[in-house]
Amino acid sequence: MTKILLSGCNGTMGKVITNLVAERNDCEIVAGLDVNTTPNGIYPIFGNADDIDVKCDAIIDFSHPSALSGVLKYALKTQTPAVISTTGLSEEQINSIHLASSQVPIFFSANMSIGVSLISELAKKAASVLGNSFDIEIVEAHHNKKIDAPSGTALMLANAVSEGLDYTPNYEYNRHSKREKRTKNEIGIHAIRGGTIVGEHEIIFAGNDEIITISHSARSKSIFAVGSINAAVFISNKTPGMYSMKELVAEC
């Protein structure tokens, strides 16, 4: 039984994770961490990581970028594996995650969906075959309350495409679709924010007289919650290092 500390437990994703874990028999949430310490009647909730007095096997962080330093500090202090699912992190924060992974196991992915992991690999393969003669555009859409734009997933997909090319592209981010003509070695990333869209990502390979698209549509936040829970169970007995959906899928 994997004992989980849930950071961001009173947030939208935290509540989804709490409900899903209650339906499983391979893990349980033993404590929560959140600036909002309103009790949920299920497990103790702490406002400060230094006050946590419950032993856990893994941390799931689905909170806010501002909470990352406290989560990593706790993980290092207690030698507890951590699943970092929060998006909108700065380059400096991502570097701190990699640094922490030299001492504790860290599972880090811009998107916790197995489906997104799959289309990332497909996009990489498509880029290796089509990239030199096709223009590449990435379009992503999320709800109007999402903080970061472009999404971490869009950047992850752009990096996957980049790995499949025989040249190093530039990324051109455009919040709106109207733009000037793009140069050859650029990947366009377009962000849409509106309504309650959970998450839509599409990679477009546009060539002469043909268009190839690879897309993923998230219909519920639960797919990300399930991924983070599976990651926590997966990483609870691993050695220090960086892990991602690729390693989790390979072990399934």
Side-chain angles (χ1 to χ4, degrees), residues 122 126 129-130 134-137 202-207 209-215:
L122 293 175
V129 176
L130 306 171
F134 280 61
D135 296 320
I136 306 170
E137 303 279 323
E202 183 177 38
I203 310 106
I204 302 168
F205 295 87
D209 302 322
E210 61 179 331
I211 299 171
I212 297 170
T213 62
I214 300 173
S215 64

Side-chain angles (χ1 to χ4, degrees), residues 171-215:
Y171 299 157
E172 180 185 277
Y173 163 62
N174 203 326
R175 179 65 175 79
H176 305 287
S177 60
K178 186 177 181 179
R179 60 166 177 78
E180 298 299 322
K181 181 175 173 59
R182 178 165 297 118
T183 61
K184 179 64 180 177
N185 292 352
E186 287 183 332
I187 297 173
I189 304 177
H190 307 274
I192 298 168
R193 296 290 175 269
T196 57
I197 301 171
V198 176
E200 307 281 335
H201 292 86
E202 183 177 38
I203 310 106
I204 302 168
F205 295 87
N208 293 327
D209 302 322
E210 61 179 331
I211 299 171
I212 297 170
T213 62
I214 300 173
S215 64

Side-chain angles (χ1 to χ4, degrees), residues 59 70-82 100 104-106:
I59 305 164
V71 170
L72 291 181
K73 180 181 177 182
Y74 178 83
L76 290 169
K77 177 183 176 182
T78 60
Q79 289 295 288
T80 306
V104 293
I106 300 286

Side-chain angles (χ1 to χ4, degrees), residues 34 54 59 65-66 73 82 89 95 115 127 136 143 167 187 190 201:
D34 204 300
V54 181
I59 305 164
S66 62
K73 180 181 177 182
L89 300 174
N95 288 338
I136 306 170
H143 54 86
Y167 60 87
I187 297 173
H190 307 274
H201 292 86

Side-chain angles (χ1 to χ4, degrees), residues 94 97-99 101 104-108 239-244 247:
I94 293 174
I97 292 172
H98 284 272
L99 186 62
S101 72
V104 293
I106 300 286
F107 191 106
F108 178 56
T239 57
M242 285 291 293
Y243 299 85
S244 68
E247 286 78 25

Side-chain angles (χ1 to χ4, degrees), residues 232-252:
V233 174
F234 164 81
I235 204 174
S236 62
N237 61 359
K238 293 294 184 288
T239 57
M242 285 291 293
Y243 299 85
S244 68
M245 292 299 294
K246 187 174 183 178
E247 286 78 25
L248 190 156
V249 171
E251 193 171 289
C252 290

